[in-house]
Amino acid sequence: MPRTKKVSIAGRELVVEERRIGELKQLVADLFPGSGGKLSEIDPSKLFDLEIDDILNKKLPELFPGLTAEDVDNAYMSEIEALVEAFVDVNFFGLRRLVTPLMSLAQAGMAQGAAQTPSTKTPTSPRGGTTRKR
């Protein structure tokens, strides 16, 4: 059973539904022509070429069936943010749950590796440079 989340936008309730993997690939291909449905093939520099009107009034309704350009015009930015956040939650919740511990583990490993790296400093002692009388 796919996950869902309700979001209020422009006075309407929208239900954001989890998409199948194939649908997500097709969505990426439609939203970012030339990507072939692969996130790794998206050219980040092309994102800056997009017009805000194109993103809000054309791409969002493609991403969220039932959302209209009029809904977007009547929405607050916080509602748009909640809508996108709901999309990420229902489609990538498991991935987020997996990535967070992996990132923590990687950071812990890097910290441990740094602690075990031998220092290049010359060891010093509190009496360094002094001679002891016998």
Side-chain angles (χ1 to χ4, degrees), residues 12-133:
R12 292 184 51 210
E13 284 281 322
L14 267 175
V15 177
V16 179
E17 294 182 346
E18 183 177 21
R19 307 262 181 115
R20 295 179 187 273
I21 302 293
E23 292 172 326
L24 290 171
K25 287 180 183 178
Q26 186 60 50
L27 187 63
V28 170
D30 293 344
L31 292 174
F32 303 100
S35 68
K38 297 179 183 179
L39 291 175
S40 62
E41 296 297 319
I42 295 173
D43 181 2
S45 66
K46 300 275 185 198
L47 297 176
F48 295 110
D49 294 339
L50 294 173
E51 296 289 328
I52 192 72
D53 191 51
D54 185 45
I55 294 170
L56 293 176
N57 293 322
K58 292 180 185 170
K59 302 291 186 187
L60 280 179
E62 286 179 35
L63 193 58
F64 303 103
L67 183 69
T68 66
E70 185 180 341
D71 293 332
V72 173
D73 285 342
N74 292 319
Y76 291 102
M77 280 307 293
S78 58
E79 292 173 319
I80 301 295
E81 290 169 7
L83 192 60
V84 172
E85 200 171 279
F87 180 82
V88 171
D89 283 348
V90 299
N91 287 289
F92 302 105
F93 179 76
L95 186 60
R96 284 176 40 179
R97 280 185 28 192
L98 178 65
V99 167
T100 302
L102 285 175
M103 292 301 290
S104 297
L105 185 61
Q107 288 173 344
M110 287 177 23
Q112 185 179 17
Q116 290 179 355
T117 303
S119 175
T120 57
K121 288 179 155 181
T122 305
T124 59
S125 71
R127 296 181 167 195
T130 61
T131 56
R132 197 172 176 188
K133 293 183 182 179

